[in-house]
Amino acid sequence: MSDYILGIESSCDDTSAAVLQGEYLLSNVIASQDVHKAYGGVIPELASRSHQLNIVPVVSEAIRRAGIRPSQLSAIAFTRGPGLLGSLLVGTSFAKTLALSLDCPLVEVNHLQGHILAGFVRQYDKPAPVPSFPYLCLLVSGGNSQIVRVDSPLEFEILGQTIDDAVGEAFDKCSKMMGLGYPGGPVIDRLAKLGDPDRFHFAKPHIPGLDYSFSGVKTSLLYFVRDEMAKDPSFMENNKEDICASFQKTLIDILMDKLVKAARQTGIRDIAIGGGVSANSGLRGRIVAEGERRGWRTFLPEFKFTTDNAAMIALAGYYHYLNGERCGLDVAPASRAAEL
Ligand code: KG4
């Protein structure tokens, strides 16, 4: 008999529900929230309200597309954190209510573990290789920049992480300050393809060990643009492709330096990436190129699994479920990773 797992994700600004049959994906529905675009960033209260509007249709559609009845679900997995508290509250409350009404086991999932395991979601129509344990995962998103050593689906260790901004935050904030739009990652990625990555140079951090820092490069870019604009008001408009290409290259250099160091220190050669920034075409290209040079096996998630999605939450939940882990109806969301 198959295990059917429903996953529910609502940690930031995407409402998502997915159904897996074991490790295999049956459905993955995502409702993104365009309402934040006008503000250049996610407005938490608006995100919570949109989740409330979206959660019932999104979950119903995921179950319908999976072609199962709700009573067939073996477990309901939900993102308990980290994320925006009001957003998490919607998914958590909905998961608890559904579990109670169906008398179905409830499993809590750490959102970051979902990103780390995203590459293990299997698709019946697209067989793909998966990393062997232990592997390293470069987890890069709007809220995180980490190098994680993954020893099994349930055991992982953070080897290094940002001490200030996340890399996605650097993309988003710099794009906003340059007037290029939100979210910044996709915009900068697109413009960078048209520019010269070696034209401008921005400050790189010197942080010991495997930790990252992105606030210095962000400030370096912003001061540079401000000073050039004071001399020539059309500087940004005339040079935006080169600025984006040079800035993106700097971020990728910073990410790759520590990833290469981590691979050397641990001797691990299976390297995966995850999180929203893993959609970046420059980063994907560099990981593949470094991998070919260094004898790594590299694993890049499909685009639909790079940003927030419930398929990865259902999968992480499935592993916890198999491990006999359940949570009670008194579980509360946790906005910070340290509280999980
Ligand atoms: O994982 P994710 O969806 O959730 C959060 O952590 O919020 O990541 C969102 C981040 C944003 O910072 C966005 O700018 C970035 O992922 N992103 C990208 C690209 N697509 C999304 N960054 C660089 N290049 C991209 N193509």
Side-chain angles (χ1 to χ4, degrees), residues 96-244:
K96 289 203 277 189
T97 312
L98 194 60
L100 179 67
S101 67
L102 294 173
D103 193 20
C104 182
L106 188 62
V107 182
E108 65 175 76
V109 172
N110 176 337
H111 179 80
L112 303 178
Q113 191 185 9
H115 276 303
I116 291 165
L117 297 174
F120 287 87
V121 176
R122 310 245 184 183
Q123 299 178 82
Y124 283 115
D125 54 343
K126 275 188 223 160
V130 294
S132 305
F133 298 107
Y135 68 93
L136 295 181
C137 180
L138 178 68
L139 176 56
V140 276
S141 70
N144 296 279
S145 305
Q146 301 178 330
I147 298 175
V148 185
R149 176 194 164 111
V150 190
D151 288 302
S152 78
L154 299 178
E155 291 167 290
F156 52 96
E157 184 189 349
I158 297 169
L159 302 181
Q161 60 188 323
T162 182
I163 58 168
D164 41 54
D165 290 344
V167 62
E169 221 174 327
F171 273 110
D172 292 340
K173 286 183 178 164
C174 288
S175 172
K176 187 176 174 186
M177 300 301 286
M178 292 189 289
L180 297 176
Y182 171 86
V187 182
I188 292 180
D189 193 359
R190 183 170 47 78
L191 289 169
K193 286 184 191 144
L194 309 171
D196 172 4
D198 297 313
R199 170 133 179 246
F200 302 117
H201 298 277
F202 303 109
K204 285 191 191 159
H206 297 281
I207 309 293
L210 297 174
D211 284 339
Y212 287 119
S213 165
F214 292 99
S215 74
V217 57
K218 184 186 73 186
T219 312
S220 157
L221 170 82
L222 297 178
Y223 281 168
F224 168 74
V225 171
R226 188 198 61 183
D227 293 349
E228 294 299 323
M229 293 285 281
K231 289 183 249 164
D232 169 12
S234 57
F235 176 77
M236 185 65 219
E237 193 45 42
N238 293 338
N239 296 283
K240 60 178 184 291
E241 293 84 1
D242 290 349
I243 297 172
C244 287

Side-chain angles (χ1 to χ4, degrees), residues 264-333:
R264 205 181 302 124
Q265 280 179 6
T266 57
I268 295 174
R269 283 159 176 263
D270 273 19
I271 312 283
I273 50 175
V277 180
S278 68
N280 185 269
S281 58
L283 178 62
R284 293 171 86 91
R286 270 287 283 287
I287 295 248
V288 170
E290 287 291 344
E292 279 166 9
R293 223 151 53 86
R294 296 173 188 277
W296 298 345
R297 290 203 311 157
T298 50
F299 300 87
L300 312 182
E302 262 185 66
F303 285 106
K304 66 179 176 205
F305 297 134
T306 58
T307 45
D308 291 346
N309 67 86
M312 65 185 196
I313 300 303
L315 185 71
Y318 177 54
Y319 293 131
H320 286 293
Y321 170 76
L322 289 180
N323 199 37
E325 296 167 47
R326 311 283 184 264
C327 68
L329 292 173
D330 56 349
V331 64

